[in-house]
Amino acid sequence: MGGSVIAGLGVGLTFNGNLRAISAVTTAKSRSEVFSAVYVISYAALSLPALAAGLAAPSWGLETTGHLYVGFVGALSLGAALHAGRSRARRPSGDPIRTGWESGPRSERSRC
């Protein structure tokens, strides 16, 4: 139960941070389109592996499917972490990623 709570907090905080970052770099005109695409991709990323595991379990057995599912999610997580690390290493050291919540001049968008 505790692991589910911690995982839920991690996913929620990460998703919130991603939406803030996307909001900061999109214009008001294209923001709704970009957010729609983010939600579709996010829901697909969460649901398709679970659906695939549900379809595979009767044929391969629950234990084998579970091991394959964990391995698949682990490989994707490792790939994402490596990609993020490489992207961060290539960015100039004085160039932080703007999230839109910093103080200073505002862009054309307004906060509600």
Side-chain angles (χ1 to χ4, degrees):
M1 184 70 150
S4 296
V5 170
I6 291 170
L9 285 171
V11 168
L13 291 171
T14 301
F15 194 68
N16 185 17
N18 287 333
L19 291 180
R20 284 183 184 185
I22 290 168
S23 179
V25 297
T26 56
T27 64
K29 190 174 184 176
S30 67
R31 193 167 298 129
S32 62
E33 297 167 358
V34 174
F35 277 175
S36 296
V38 167
Y39 279 111
V40 168
I41 291 168
S42 296
Y43 284 120
L46 291 172
S47 63
L48 292 179
L51 288 172
L55 293 172
S59 300
W60 294 344
L62 191 56
E63 185 175 353
T64 302
T65 303
H67 288 126
L68 290 172
Y69 185 84
V70 168
F72 178 72
V73 170
L76 286 177
S77 298
L78 180 62
L82 291 173
H83 177 70
R86 274 189 252 140
S87 296
R88 195 171 191 91
R90 278 187 257 141
R91 190 175 62 228
S93 60
D95 187 21
I97 295 175
R98 293 188 51 85
T99 61
W101 294 95
E102 297 88 1
S103 61
R106 300 278 181 192
S107 63
E108 97 254 2
R109 64 191 205 68
S110 62
R111 295 237 175 245
C112 297

